[in-house]
Amino acid sequence: MTKVSRTYWLVLLLACGIFAVDVFVLPDVTPELKSSASEFFNNECKGCHRWARKFAAPPMRDNVQHYASDPAAMVEYLKHPTPQHPDEWPAMEITPLTEEQAKMMTAWLLYILKNPDDPGRPK
C-alpha cells in the first residue's frame, strides 16, 4: 500500500469516527404497534391517566404535548420517570420502561396527538 493510500484510509477512518452519530429513530406506527401500545396503555397507564382530562394524574395529551418537539426526551423520561409536578400529583408508581417499550409508547402517543380521531385513541 502506498503512503498516499494509507493516508487516505487513515483520514477516512478518522472522519467516520468524528462524524459517527447515534441517530434517534422511533419505530413506524403500524397496526401491530398500535395494538401493542394500546394494550400497554390500558394495562399500565390508564389506571391514572385519561387522554384529555384530569383523573388521578395529568391528562396524557398534556404530557405528550410537552414532549412533542423532543421525542427523545420523552423516551428518556419513560425509561427513568421522575416526579414532574410533586406539588400537584403523586409520583408515578411504574417500573421504568425498556428502550423498546419507551420508543413504542412515544411513537404511538405522538401519533395519537397528531391523529386525535384515530379510533384507537385512549379515552
Side-chain angles (χ1 to χ4, degrees):
M1 200 182 276
T2 68
K3 185 175 180 179
V4 173
S5 64
R6 277 191 298 235
T7 303
Y8 170 79
W9 286 109
L10 179 61
V11 170
L12 182 63
L13 286 171
L14 284 171
C16 289
I18 291 170
F19 295 108
V21 184
D22 276 340
V23 177
F24 177 79
V25 178
L26 290 174
D28 292 333
V29 180
T30 62
E32 294 79 18
L33 183 136
K34 286 181 180 183
S35 176
S36 295
S38 178
E39 181 178 346
F40 187 91
F41 182 88
N42 288 332
N43 291 333
E44 302 294 332
C45 310
K46 191 176 180 179
C48 295
H49 290 282
R50 298 302 184 262
W51 180 251
R53 66 180 173 90
K54 292 180 179 182
F55 187 61
M60 186 61 77
R61 179 185 61 201
D62 295 354
N63 292 346
V64 176
Q65 284 174 334
H66 174 76
Y67 291 105
S69 64
D70 190 2
M74 185 173 179
V75 169
E76 287 306 309
Y77 173 75
L78 292 172
K79 289 170 39 182
H80 309 287
T82 55
Q84 300 295 304
H85 307 282
D87 53 320
E88 188 176 355
W89 303 102
M92 285 195 311
E93 295 180 15
I94 67 166
T95 302
L97 279 63
T98 65
E99 177 94 12
E100 184 178 324
Q101 290 170 324
K103 284 185 172 183
M104 172 188 71
M105 292 307 295
T106 298
W108 180 67
L109 290 167
L110 290 171
Y111 171 84
I112 295 298
L113 184 66
K114 294 175 186 173
N115 299 279
D117 294 330
D118 187 279
R121 180 184 68 87
K123 304 298 176 217

